[in-house]
Amino acid sequence: MKEKLEEYKIVFFIILMALFGSTAAFFKIALREMPIDMFTFLRFLFALLAFAPYFLTKPSEVVANKKKLILISLVAVANVLLFIFGLKHTTAIISGMLYAGVPLVTAVLAFLIIDEKVSLKKWFGIFTGFFGVLIII
């Protein structure tokens, strides 16, 4: 039974990668058809609709440091906005490569700025993903 579950996990992972691996090309086509602000609004609207059931069923939890949470959230919003503006002005292939480099840049900055120790296993995963995307592109 456990082996069957492992097989399904791999199949599910492959399906997810096939779906989400094509988002850069899909976004590039969508940006040709609609303005950037409308596209960004729709992207955030779909995210809200996806997360709404979770937030509506869970009781509100107290956040200890709301200012820190807001700043971290703004970084995530900037990531989405900059990706969309960058995609508008470059090709889908280059944007996919730039997006694949995000974990690499994050790991290097975390190591340099906050002295986070990134294990050899994590570095291996980061480089495997980065070079996998590079080979595919």
Side-chain angles (χ1 to χ4, degrees):
M1 180 68 184
K2 191 173 183 179
E3 293 157 359
K4 267 292 201 211
L5 186 61
E6 288 298 319
E7 287 178 25
Y8 289 131
K9 284 181 184 178
I10 292 171
V11 170
F12 182 67
F13 181 72
I14 290 171
I15 290 170
L16 280 177
M17 294 310 298
L19 289 174
F20 293 116
S22 61
T23 56
F26 171 74
F27 288 170
K28 185 69 177 174
I29 293 168
L31 283 170
R32 252 190 276 146
E33 302 298 323
M34 68 178 75
I36 290 176
D37 52 353
M38 175 61 85
F39 180 80
T40 306
F41 171 76
L42 289 174
R43 187 169 179 191
F44 282 113
L45 179 67
F46 287 133
L48 173 69
L49 293 175
F51 287 112
Y54 173 77
F55 290 119
L56 293 175
T57 58
K58 293 284 182 183
S60 64
E61 298 174 8
V62 178
V63 177
N65 195 346
K66 289 183 182 179
K67 288 182 183 179
K68 194 173 189 179
L69 179 64
I70 290 171
L71 287 174
I72 292 170
S73 298
L74 288 177
V75 171
V77 169
N79 178 28
V80 171
L81 293 176
L82 291 174
F83 175 70
I84 292 171
F85 280 110
L87 184 60
K88 180 73 173 176
H89 300 291
T90 189
T91 64
I93 292 174
I94 296 299
S95 68
M97 194 64 224
L98 290 172
Y99 217 60
V102 169
L104 180 61
V105 172
T106 303
V108 169
L109 289 176
F111 176 75
L112 295 174
I113 295 173
I114 61 173
D115 256 351
E116 182 174 330
K117 304 296 182 223
V118 181
S119 69
L120 188 61
K121 192 176 185 179
K122 289 180 184 176
W123 281 116
F124 179 73
I126 290 169
F127 280 112
T128 301
F130 182 76
F131 287 118
V133 171
L134 182 65
I135 288 169
I136 290 171
I137 288 177

